[in-house]
Amino acid sequence: RWFALFSSLDLAFFFKQLHFLVKRGVTLYPAIELIRADIGSRSLGRPMDILLSGLREGNSFSEILFSKLQVPLFITNIIRVGENEGSLVNSLEKASGYLQNRIELTRKIQNALLYPITLVVLGSGILVWIMTQVLPSFKLIYEEAGVQLPLPTRVLFYLHAVFVQIWWKGPLVLVFVSGTLFFLFRKELPFLISKYVYRIHLIGTFRYYFSVMNFVSNLGSLHGSGMSLIQSFQLTLSATHNLYLKSLLRNALTKIIEGSKLSMALHEAGFFPAIVIKMIMAGEESGELDQVLMQLTDYLGEEMDVRLQRFVALIGPLSLIIIGFFVTFMSLSFLLPLFRMTGVIRHV
């Protein structure tokens, strides 16, 4: 994700460098000056100048990040807590760690999905090329030879005829249906999409674990920075983008404000897995909720890694089977009529 002037990667790098310098006794302004003089990324130059200018004017670090650099409120509040409590070093470490974990998780998901997406795109391109360039030439040859076509070839020619007739109609129908649905359900549609996106096979599972881990990680980072549970929950809610999950969390927040425990409010939401509820309940009873939330973040990250590895292990053989079937079908469709034509020529 890109912020207004920072990329996630640049912001994580900046916080990491700043944490290193501040931890070793360099004050904030000179530390940013050193990073500004040493950076090799041009994209960081302008934000550094804005930060230095704002600090010279007397603005707080967190205020500049939020108002002038438009860094999300969730991250700037972690920094603000550190400024107010004199623990900026810890806040910088938490913000850097949070961004690095997000980047790493996003990269893992992208890498896992890269192979099947590439396969689908290349396969679709090759199929369109065969249908538009190769198949018509073979069809003409077979018609002129008057050879009886086997079943695979007849099926392929039928698919070609259908493709020729509807290739331009399909996108129009899709656009028309999508536009109609959007017009009729423009208020309900975003909510329904955000709800049923979790039910998509494989992709929905990754999305679900990502959402749960993101919530637990955000809540743990904010609450561990010294904020009250309600403040931490409110900021975590503001950082949640899925409308369906946001509505569930909003109801849970209302119950927490009314006096309900976090574990009970999340349990009644009906979204979170049982192990998350039980571990949060244990953290509440032991008074170590912060540590439990961070442990849950690690657990959910490992669980997602396992599922990603299973997905990659499954998609490889499955892709080979699909490609093998496709190659076999196309080979039979093209070669069987040629064999029959050879037999006819020999008899002649």
Side-chain angles (χ1 to χ4, degrees), residues 12 14 23 41 45 103 149 198 201 214-215 221 247 290 296 345:
F14 169 63
K23 187 176 182 180
S41 172
I103 292 168
L149 300 178
Y198 293 115
H201 188 56
N214 195 42
F215 168 79
S221 297
S247 68
D290 301 340
L296 269 174
I345 293 173

Side-chain angles (χ1 to χ4, degrees), residues 5-6 14 29 32-33 36-37 39 42-57 64 68-69:
L5 293 175
F6 277 114
F14 169 63
Y29 189 90
I32 297 176
E33 279 188 320
R36 177 67 181 91
I39 57 174
R42 293 183 178 180
S43 60
L44 275 173
R46 188 183 171 200
M48 296 298 98
D49 292 337
I50 293 174
L51 275 170
L52 292 171
S53 175
L55 289 173
R56 284 195 299 268
E57 294 171 0
I64 301 168
K68 296 186 178 181
L69 298 180

Side-chain angles (χ1 to χ4, degrees), residues 193 195-207:
I193 292 175
K195 179 179 181 179
Y196 288 102
V197 71
Y198 293 115
R199 301 187 182 183
I200 301 174
H201 188 56
L202 292 177
I203 305 298
T205 302
F206 295 147
R207 183 78 177 179

Side-chain angles (χ1 to χ4, degrees), residues 28-99:
L28 185 62
Y29 189 90
I32 297 176
E33 279 188 320
L34 286 172
I35 297 173
R36 177 67 181 91
D38 191 52
I39 57 174
S41 172
R42 293 183 178 180
S43 60
L44 275 173
R46 188 183 171 200
M48 296 298 98
D49 292 337
I50 293 174
L51 275 170
L52 292 171
S53 175
L55 289 173
R56 284 195 299 268
E57 294 171 0
N59 298 317
S60 68
F61 181 45
S62 57
E63 182 183 349
I64 301 168
L65 288 174
F66 180 68
S67 61
K68 296 186 178 181
L69 298 180
Q70 285 143 31
V71 173
L73 182 62
F74 169 77
I75 297 175
T76 55
N77 270 282
I78 294 178
I79 303 298
R80 183 176 290 116
V81 170
E83 288 179 319
N84 294 337
E85 298 187 354
S87 57
L88 184 59
V89 174
N90 294 334
S91 293
L92 289 170
E93 185 178 16
K94 286 181 179 295
S96 174
Y98 167 78
L99 289 168

